Amino acid sequence: MQFVQLLVFLILFPLIAAFFLLIARKDLEREWIVKLSALAIGIVSVYLLITTYDKGTLLISAIPAEPTGLVMFILEMLIAVYILYLGIKHKKWLVVGLILVQSVMMLYFELVYSHSVHVQANLFSDELSIIMALIIGIIGSLICVYSLGYMKFFHEHHPEMPDKRTWFFGTMFLFLSGMFGLVFSNNIIWVYFFWEITTLCSFLLIGYTKTEEATNNAFLALWMNLLGGIAFAGAIIWLAMFGNGIMGLDALTTSGKVIALIPAALIGFAGLTKAAQLPFSAWLVGAMVAPTPVSALLHSSTMVKAGVYIIVRFAPVFDSTVTGYMIAMVGALTFLLASGIAISQSNAKRVLAYSTIANLGLIVACAGIGTYEAIWAAILLIVFHAISKSLLFLATGTVEHRIKSREIDDMNGLIVRMPKIAAMMVIGIAGMFLLPFGMLISKWAAIRAFIDAPYGFVFVIMLAFGSALTLFFWAKWMGKIIAVTSDSKNIEGEVDRSEWAALVSLAGLTFVTTLVFPMLSTHLLEPFLMTNYGHIAQLSQDNIIIMILMLFLLMVMPLSILLPKHKHRHLAPYMGGRTTTADMRFSGSLGVQKKTVLSNYYLQDWFGEKKLKSWGIWLCSAVICIMILSAVFRVVM
Amino acid sequence: MIDIIMAIVFVLVAPVIGGLVAGIDRKVTAHMQGRVGPSVFQPFWDVGKLFEKENAVVNETQIFYAICYVLFMAFTGALFFSGGDLLLVIFALTLSQVFLVLGAFAANSPYSYVGAERELLQIMAYEPMVILTAVGMFVATRSFNVADIATTTIPVVLLIPGIFLGFLYTLTIKLRKSPFDISTSHHAHQEIVKGVTTEFSGPSLGLIEITHWYETVLLLGFLYLFFGWNPLLAVVAVIVLYLLEILIDNTNARMRWQFAVKSAWLVALVAGFINLAALYFLSGGVS
Amino acid sequence: MTYLAKSPWIFHYDASSCNGCDIEILACLTPMYDVERFGIINTGNPKHADIFVVTGSINEANREVIQNLYNQMPDPKVVVAVGICACSGGVFRECYNVAGGIDKLIPVDVYVPGCAARPESIIDGIVTALGVLEEKRSKNIHSKVVTDHERPERHNHAQGGAQ
Ligand code: SF4
């Protein structure tokens, strides 16, 4: 069966690539391996789409469960031992404790229950898996290609750091493999295995630079995700004990609330940790210490998307339960608070981090509400967010290498200094919050979904406020980039070819996905919603036409630069009549030269990170407690 | 559903109406201050003059943003008056506003820079309420289409009085009237010179003026929707409410932006929440 | 008649005036004189203005400012010197720090004498300026960028920052 081979290829091929990357010693070899495997992964994931988009859900029982399961268990235990060793070595006792608890749980399960578990199909694929596979396969591999140039530059300019690029690229591809496995697994135990692989990879990548800060943040990410892992393991044991051994995702989501609600709540909790929702947001912000491609990978196509993916998977179980609303509430609160915190951040990567957390919050909110419209919005958000966010991260990384700063205020006049990269960045930002682009379409869909849901008005109000905050921090950043400073020179120079290829592809994707989104919706989203919910959600034809019109308008406008035009007289900016030099220096009182410095508003008093975060941690923790309790009550009562 | 003719009519006629409204505004304001005031056609002469002047800029990109601003504002208005989707209208409106902000940022001048930041604060202040307005109208009429809302037989304003009041509050911000003319002002001096428009001159400033006319007509259209079930009442209401805005403009001093944002949010939160919650529970919990 | 004459926006700069003339200019805006009848608006921003109204005379502190403001006005533009100080230096002309009337620095189109100039004569001056403005527009005259020739060391700064 050709289809099985495709799935297996996607899961195993990155693994093989990772292996070869580990043994490749020369730069050139590595470059070719990365480029070719990225190309292969991209092509195969598109090929998967072409061959299966109209086939609906496909279950695969061809893979023998017993030996594979055993191999997975052994690997899991090896990983546990490795983490245990690192935990003891770095004296991170929390991590040690958590990994011990988790391993004992899995050991217990393996010894007592594993024989009573029977899963018909271990792998499967439906429209959601395909969409996820496309995101991982295309965006993930673009990021890997980008890393080639970035890491070279990184090590040239940080000679003090040990050059362990073999490890780096190996882990990146292992990560992709884990993600593919995650989205194609039907067996929960398999999902769990791949889940742990992503946790491990993110831990390794965050700690890549081996500085103290990096190590600490890596362990922070590790313990938070281990917490989720324990919840996941708990769900598996619960299913084995009370769920008649149902372990297939397909069976679970239709098995009724009595069986599925508690495991769904536990896995939902695991999803919240992985998606960096509020009490656990710190690890994603901390992950900023890693090289930028790692952040791009974590934020756009892998890791956090695994968290929301699993919640979206379980959305039918959450449908109109208190548990679902509480998950949605965590998401909505996170969206609101993280958007606020993003306003107060001056570091570009931190702004991006909080914006990711916020957008994931929105996805979680949609998934928690779980109506067909909400799920439609959630999947759209996953897709569009992945594209724009990876573009923004990669552009920021390239800029950072040139201006040696991540501060947004230092990006003043970027359009003059690095016109091409600045244009990419502007496209990325526009993709995050302006109209014809995907993110806004998704937000729009979310508003409509919320209105129709019970108690939806609460979520609508939170969304309305949250999107106002979002607008503020994106627009002020965009303003910084497009400010035309008269004294700056073009310092763009040669951008590395691989970096450039990734940037242009992602910018192109931003436009293309917005254009083909109606097709995406009819061919992938609607069948998915139809099979799972019996309804479809879509935008009316008129609105789609209008948006495509706007998109064209937006694309045509910049071309006006090409038109012949007469030169306009240029005036100096108004400085109250003071004589000002081209680099905006003026003589202040007593003839002292002053430099005009324009800085964004950060509104620290209102949106200070400390204040909002502690609020969010308490609130969301409380909501999560209610969520778990409500699931227990519902089942027990 | 989309009425192309209405869209074209809007694009052509709205500047005329908007300009007249601005002229009447100035006349009424003058009378309130015991002056004779200019002719009601003064705004047209002003813009005509601006187009006779030299287009001097700090840099060329400003012109680009000014053109985008007017283009997308006209687009937004056309979408509204042809009966399009209200949420889409709101998002398109935001897009065009962002172009004005970018134009101000592009000049890299302190005054327009502060103006741009303040303009963003203003957008941030009114955005929640504007979205809630669309939501409220949907809850009242079960449709997002302007065509449906405008021709509904449901007395919208009676169902969403809270949202109506909230919208009126933010309307003052959107029309740049005192006490919320913090990013730029129709009146003479202000502490940041002319805020966002400081660095625009001649034709590009003229474009921005025209955009304001479009915007005024669009906002009056929003007001109309609240009374859509009775066109006569609606027109009277729109006129009375606009006069009310002028009165507010002339009797208030400019507030700080902190007040503008906080109060607008408070109004949106209280009015929006109470109103939507009441509607939700009165209609039996299932919307 | 073109629109220019119907909508003259002025920009008022207080050079080293004793404030007498400034108060008279503001008086023009009051209900008593209400110059907005003629479409006159006091903009406070050279980039929006058509008429540059200067009161007071030139001194060390303001000569650069006057030039910069003048240069930042878009064409066509005219300058109205209000008050005898602005016209010639007036009672201050002998002062050690006063260089004289503003026509020492920028081309003045209309002189409104008086100490202080009366609102009526200010309005009259501005209406006269409208004629000049109209003439400049029809002849498409571009005003020159003014630089301070007497003071070569400042030459470079005069455009508002060339160097
Ligand atoms: S002319 Fe007279 S009133 Fe006017 S500034 Fe000079 S001294 Fe003052």
Side-chain angles (χ1 to χ4, degrees), chain B residues 125-233:
Chain B
Y126 64 63
E127 189 80 358
M129 193 61 233
V130 176
I131 293 179
L132 290 184
T133 305
V135 170
M137 290 198 176
F138 176 81
V139 175
T141 64
R142 306 306 307 164
S143 171
F144 271 120
N145 274 333
V146 176
D148 299 339
I149 303 172
T151 54
T152 180
T153 51
I154 302 166
V156 177
V157 71
L158 298 182
L159 281 179
I160 47 171
I163 288 181
F164 172 67
L165 289 178
F167 182 74
L168 265 191
Y169 194 85
T170 46
L171 191 66
T172 317
I173 307 180
K174 288 212 72 122
L175 288 171
R176 305 176 191 289
K177 300 243 174 242
S178 275
F180 301 132
D181 49 348
I182 51 180
S183 74
T184 181
S185 159
H186 292 302
H187 304 297
H189 300 265
Q190 75 168 45
E191 72 276 21
I192 51 170
V193 191
K194 275 283 178 183
V196 269
T197 58
T198 303
E199 301 297 340
F200 290 96
S201 61
S204 21
L205 185 63
L207 284 181
I208 290 174
E209 278 301 310
I210 294 174
T211 317
H212 285 166
W213 298 346
Y214 274 122
E215 196 182 3
T216 310
V217 177
L218 175 63
L219 292 172
L220 296 184
F222 262 91
L223 275 183
Y224 180 97
L225 288 189
F226 283 98
F227 304 90
W229 84 95
N230 185 341
L232 191 69
L233 175 71

Side-chain angles (χ1 to χ4, degrees), chain A residues 191-442:
Chain A
V191 176
Y192 172 78
F193 169 71
F194 290 117
W195 187 269
E196 290 303 297
I197 296 275
T198 58
T199 301
L200 177 73
C201 291
S202 64
F203 166 70
L204 294 177
L205 287 174
I206 296 169
Y208 174 74
T209 54
K210 290 273 188 295
T211 59
E212 196 183 328
E213 194 190 8
T215 312
N216 282 337
N217 288 348
F219 274 103
L220 180 71
L222 188 62
W223 78 253
M224 284 187 170
N225 280 300
L226 282 181
L227 216 56
I230 289 177
F232 208 130
I236 293 177
I237 292 180
W238 171 278
L239 277 175
M241 286 164 83
F242 306 106
N244 313 329
I246 296 179
M247 287 283 169
L249 274 177
D250 56 331
L252 250 183
T253 46
T254 52
S255 63
K257 301 212 160 48
V258 178
I259 293 177
L261 194 59
I262 288 183
L266 288 172
I267 292 178
F269 174 80
L272 291 179
T273 56
K274 194 141 272 198
Q277 294 302 288
L278 240 172
F280 310 109
S281 65
W283 77 258
L284 194 61
V285 182
M288 291 294 118
V289 294
T292 304
V294 174
S295 318
L297 199 64
L298 293 179
H299 283 253
S300 62
S301 52
T302 63
M303 199 62 186
V304 294
K305 289 291 151 69
V308 288
Y309 162 80
I310 205 73
I311 297 178
V312 170
R313 269 279 174 236
F314 278 92
V317 182
F318 295 132
D319 180 30
S320 61
T321 59
V322 180
T323 316
Y325 285 119
M326 287 304 134
I327 288 189
M329 189 46 92
V330 174
L333 278 172
T334 306
F335 175 58
L336 196 61
L337 294 171
S339 303
I341 296 175
I343 291 180
S344 69
Q345 299 302 310
S346 61
N347 180 319
K349 281 185 87 175
R350 288 180 79 90
V351 172
L352 290 178
Y354 275 109
S355 133
T356 301
I357 295 169
N359 282 309
L360 289 168
L362 195 55
I363 301 172
V364 169
C366 289
I369 284 179
T371 59
Y372 65 96
E373 284 172 302
I375 296 301
W376 188 64
I379 300 176
L380 285 182
L381 278 167
I382 292 180
V383 175
F384 291 123
H385 177 256
I387 298 169
S388 299
K389 197 41 80 57
S390 49
L391 173 60
L392 272 174
F393 263 112
L394 300 189
T396 309
T398 309
V399 169
E400 181 196 343
H401 271 172
R402 283 183 174 59
I403 66 173
K404 305 274 180 297
S405 165
R406 294 173 173 181
E407 294 294 310
I408 290 178
D409 280 335
D410 292 337
M411 295 184 188
N412 202 16
L414 210 59
I415 197 86
V416 182
R417 291 187 280 165
M418 303 172 208
K420 288 193 232 153
I421 300 169
M424 297 293 133
M425 225 174 198
V426 168
I427 292 172
I429 296 179
M432 290 302 294
F433 84 110
L434 285 181
L435 182 56
F437 295 106
M439 280 304 281
L440 209 89
I441 302 176
S442 327

Side-chain angles (χ1 to χ4, degrees), chain C residues 23-45:
Chain C
I23 287 167
E24 298 303 326
I25 287 176
L26 292 181
C28 298
L29 300 168
T30 59
M32 177 83 171
Y33 295 100
D34 187 24
V35 286
E36 206 195 343
R37 279 178 297 159
F38 312 118
I40 298 174
I41 288 180
N42 187 2
T43 61
N45 178 357

Side-chain angles (χ1 to χ4, degrees), chain C residues 16-22 24 55-57 82-86 89-92 114-117:
Chain C
S16 61
S17 150
C18 76
N19 282 10
C21 288
D22 303 319
E24 298 303 326
T55 55
S57 45
V82 168
I84 197 65
C85 292
V91 291
F92 303 110
C115 179

Side-chain angles (χ1 to χ4, degrees), chain A residues 569 571-583 587 593, chain C residues 46-47 64-65 68-69 71-75 77 157 160-161 163:
Chain A
R569 187 157 74 96
L571 303 176
Y574 179 68
M575 293 285 284
R578 265 283 159 212
T579 299
T580 311
T581 59
D583 58 347
S587 53
Q593 273 238 325
Chain C
K47 301 195 169 179
E64 271 181 30
V65 179
N68 290 336
L69 294 177
N71 291 336
Q72 284 180 358
M73 285 172 66
D75 278 327
K77 58 188 172 190
H157 289 297
Q163 298 280 299

